[in-house]
Amino acid sequence: MLKKERQSFILHQVNLHNKVLSVDLSQQMAVSEDTIRRDLNEMAKQGKLIKAHGGALSKSFHLSIASDHVYALNSKKRIATKACRLIKDGMFVLTSGGTTIIELAKSLPPELTATFITVSLPAAYEYIHHPNIEVIFIGDKISKNSQISIGGSVVSRIKGIRADLCFLGTNAIDIKNGITDNDWEVVEVKKAMIESSDRIASLSITEKLNTAQRIKVCDLNCIHTLVTELDPEHETLQPYKATGIEII
């Protein structure tokens, strides 16, 4: 694989999953980790990504809250609009982190009255500008990679909540592995959210379907609704629909 092709693949993966590991990229492209490290260093100098220990982070994910320069923004806006249909007045809603969750926060109808509980700093920033919703931010140690609160006290507080609905920002999802992620502490927070919610909605752009990361969040049968930018009858979604998940 040529250098240009490698770096194009790396950029796509880091924008898709927000974070990539050098060892995974090395295996996926069958090149040495030294080659990957050189690519990452070069791409970081060019401003295409953020070099991190053992891998890289998406630059678009770490731009300011007001920025529109996020990956697949139009698709995420469509998902957010569709996800809003699931929210009813009076609900207690748990939300994780991620750029799709931020778009959901921006898309909430102004007449909605509900309580939103989140661990995401950028999402909380958006919620507090809504005229009618109550906002509960569960804070502690902040993950710079994911921009959410993490740690044992966060997990404990979430377990003391009973939410009507949980929106999960999704890193990877497929039929066999369910929902997976690449950050252990983020996974622990998401697991607690799932346990504390009556209904779970996974928000995912199509490119994340049929992909898997190293750490399991939950089996596919733990979620009730899958929200993508596609029409629910699109052929890509039919294997998920066949499992009994609601597709919107």
Side-chain angles (χ1 to χ4, degrees):
M1 184 179 289
L2 298 174
K3 176 179 171 181
K4 184 177 180 180
E5 294 174 320
R6 286 198 315 270
Q7 294 193 358
S8 178
F9 178 82
I10 290 169
L11 188 61
H12 180 260
Q13 290 299 308
V14 76
N15 282 330
L16 184 61
H17 296 297
N18 300 324
K19 174 184 175 183
V20 291
L21 299 177
S22 298
V23 62
D24 290 341
L25 292 171
S26 173
Q27 292 172 359
Q28 290 165 356
M29 292 187 284
V31 297
S32 71
E33 287 191 54
D34 284 339
T35 298
I36 296 298
R37 278 192 287 270
R38 286 194 295 270
D39 282 339
L40 294 181
N41 286 332
E42 182 176 320
M43 294 172 75
K45 289 178 181 177
Q46 294 170 349
K48 294 180 178 179
L49 49 75
I50 299 171
K51 184 72 170 65
H53 179 70
L57 306 173
S58 170
K59 188 173 181 180
S60 65
F61 186 69
H62 289 264
L63 291 169
S64 67
I65 293 169
S67 175
D68 285 337
H69 301 289
V70 298
Y71 185 72
L73 180 61
N74 288 336
S75 293
K76 291 174 181 179
K77 285 183 175 181
R78 178 163 172 74
I79 290 169
T81 300
K82 294 166 75 172
C84 284
R85 303 174 197 164
L86 298 172
I87 309 168
K88 308 299 180 186
D89 283 342
M91 276 188 168
F92 275 68
V93 183
L94 264 173
T95 67
S96 66
T99 49
T100 307
I101 294 293
I102 296 170
E103 292 308 315
L104 171 67
K106 293 177 179 179
S107 300
L108 297 175
E111 67 276 11
L112 176 68
T113 58
T115 299
F116 277 72
I117 308 162
T118 188
V119 293
S120 167
L121 275 174
Y125 177 88
E126 297 297 336
Y127 292 143
I128 62 175
H129 290 89
H130 190 283
N132 292 312
I133 66 171
E134 296 292 331
V135 185
I136 299 173
F137 176 70
I138 301 177
D140 202 310
K141 177 184 175 183
I142 301 293
S143 165
K144 292 182 179 179
N145 292 349
S146 59
Q147 299 178 353
I148 71 168
S149 301
I150 54 173
S153 64
V154 172
V155 170
S156 178
R157 290 172 192 167
I158 291 171
K159 288 183 177 180
I161 295 166
R162 193 71 236 165
D164 300 296
L165 177 62
C166 173
F167 287 113
L168 285 181
T170 304
N171 198 320
I173 180 172
D174 73 356
I175 299 295
K176 178 182 177 181
N177 298 290
I179 295 178
T180 52
D181 211 308
N182 52 24
D183 188 309
W184 176 266
E185 290 183 298
V186 171
V187 166
E188 291 303 300
V189 170
K190 288 183 176 181
K191 285 181 176 180
M193 287 185 162
I194 291 169
E195 292 175 8
S196 297
S197 303
D198 292 337
R199 292 191 65 82
I200 314 298
S202 169
L203 311 185
S204 177
I205 60 173
T206 307
E207 287 183 82
K208 293 184 179 183
L209 300 181
N210 307 321
T211 68
Q213 295 291 309
R214 288 178 174 266
I215 309 172
K216 188 163 191 169
V217 177
C218 67
D219 290 322
L220 204 60
N221 61 11
C222 290
I223 68 170
H224 303 89
T225 306
L226 174 61
V227 189
T228 77
E229 76 275 21
L230 296 178
D231 183 282
E233 298 305 317
H234 193 283
E235 61 181 2
T236 303
L237 299 172
Q238 297 318 297
Y240 295 88
K241 188 175 182 179
T243 68
I245 296 173
E246 176 189 30
I247 307 292
I248 65 171

